Amino acid sequence: MAFETEGGNVTKPDATISAIAAPAFVEISKALAHGVVLNYAGPSTIKFNKDGSFTAGVVSESAAYSYDSGDEFSQTAVSCTAQTYAHIFKPTVQSERFSDGQADLGKLGRLQGEAIGRAFDSTWIGLFPSITNLVTETAGATKDGLLDAQYTVHNATMRDVRLHVVISRKARNELRKEITSITASAFGTEKMLNLVGGPIQPNGLVGEFSDMLVFNTSGFTTTGGDNQQAVFDPTLAFGMGVDQTIYTRSVFKASEGLFTEVASWMFANAVLWNDAAACEYRSDS
């Protein structure tokens, strides 16, 4: 790697890697499609507010209105404080010279962005065990179990909205086998077979079932031989704070071994915003 000036040795590769890493993060991260995403604008903490509700009553003619706690405005918040997601790479002068073009800045930036994206996803998936509502299968994933989880969320939030389902590939396979084995005529329609026949999208979208979008991914925590997955309202369940860029700094270390230390990092975090808007879904791992 040769650059025009000594200053360029710092700024040019840094800018190149950062410019490539940021979109790679967005492309690889599965979490971003499943929550309310806000950018860190100044402070390191974002507040995801939860509004209370009023309680109305019937007032008799000429009667005084009885003011009580149901008339108070209340608001709580869940704090999403930025965490630092980082990756450091140390290419030696030998690897730069003899890599046959494989250690170029474009590939390095993409790989670092993808690594940070996977780390962020792990934070988000790690929230699933903290969800209070729970549906546990006796063995593998079933359509009835998903419907129970859907009902749990709808009943808790009083909102009959389209939910997201995030499950493992094993659970996806079990659901597909169950649906294809059903002989009822309703399951012969194209809509009911959507979960079975459609191509899997880059963001993990498998298909649709009972007005739920079904996604698969990996990295779930397990308990008692079950994957801890989730069914949730994507507009209420999770809040995510994400900085607007990935930062990169590189320093050449001559006396320590003739290598360049390339560090990339990003500030982000994910929180369980409205617990009632999600249901943990357990099935065989």
Side-chain angles (χ1 to χ4, degrees):
M1 300 178 183
F3 301 98
E4 296 173 1
T5 66
E6 188 60 26
N9 287 336
V10 176
T11 60
K12 289 188 177 180
D14 294 354
T16 299
I17 293 171
S18 178
I20 295 172
F25 165 84
V26 173
E27 183 176 352
I28 200 70
S29 175
K30 303 295 191 296
L32 296 177
H34 300 294
V36 176
V37 180
L38 299 178
N39 293 130
Y40 290 102
S44 61
T45 297
I46 292 173
K47 298 286 189 181
F48 286 93
N49 294 323
K50 298 197 291 185
D51 291 338
S53 60
F54 290 140
T55 301
V58 177
V59 180
S60 301
E61 184 178 359
S62 301
Y65 184 83
S66 178
Y67 189 86
D68 58 24
S69 60
D71 300 302
E72 299 282 353
F73 175 72
S74 63
Q75 185 181 73
T76 59
V78 176
S79 297
C80 184
T81 301
Q83 300 184 134
T84 307
Y85 295 83
H87 179 268
I88 299 176
F89 179 58
K90 299 180 179 180
T92 64
V93 292
Q94 289 87 354
S95 66
E96 291 183 22
R97 170 63 180 82
F98 301 111
S99 66
D100 194 26
Q102 296 303 306
D104 65 276
L105 294 179
K107 177 181 288 188
L108 176 59
R110 175 176 57 81
L111 292 176
Q112 287 197 314
E114 290 176 351
I116 292 171
R118 288 190 294 269
F120 179 66
D121 282 354
S122 293
T123 295
W124 169 63
I125 291 173
L127 297 172
F128 293 179
S130 64
I131 296 170
T132 301
N133 294 323
L134 173 65
V135 169
T136 302
E137 300 282 16
T138 56
T142 66
K143 59 179 180 59
D144 287 349
L146 284 187
L147 291 172
D148 286 343
Q150 180 189 48
Y151 162 76
T152 299
V153 175
H154 284 169
N155 190 57
T157 61
M158 303 300 289
R159 284 163 45 93
D160 298 318
V161 298
R162 172 174 286 191
L163 305 182
H164 285 192
V165 178
V166 176
I167 54 175
S168 68
R169 291 176 177 84
K170 179 178 175 63
R172 175 199 73 193
N173 186 51
E174 291 163 343
L175 287 167
R176 284 180 160 181
K177 289 191 295 184
E178 181 188 18
I179 291 174
T180 54
S181 67
I182 296 174
T183 58
S185 59
F187 283 86
T189 65
E190 181 177 353
K191 184 173 181 61
M192 293 302 293
L193 291 173
N194 179 271
L195 188 61
V196 176
I200 299 173
Q201 301 300 313
N203 65 354
L205 178 63
V206 177
E208 181 181 343
F209 174 70
S210 185
D211 201 32
M212 293 182 283
L213 294 180
V214 181
F215 300 78
N216 67 203
T217 188
S218 57
F220 297 99
T221 57
T222 61
T223 181
D226 289 339
N227 281 321
Q228 296 178 273
Q229 306 148 121
V231 178
F232 55 91
D233 180 345
T235 68
L236 281 181
F238 300 103
M240 302 176 190
V242 178
D243 208 354
Q244 300 184 54
T245 188
I246 289 181
Y247 304 88
T248 300
R249 297 290 186 274
S250 59
V251 180
F252 184 64
K253 302 280 190 174
S255 62
E256 298 179 25
L258 292 176
F259 63 87
T260 303
E261 186 174 87
V262 184
S264 290
W265 67 94
M266 183 176 194
F267 301 108
N269 203 357
V271 294
L272 181 60
W273 179 18
N274 289 284
D275 183 39
C279 180
E280 183 187 342
Y281 177 69
R282 297 180 184 175
S283 64
D284 282 357
S285 59

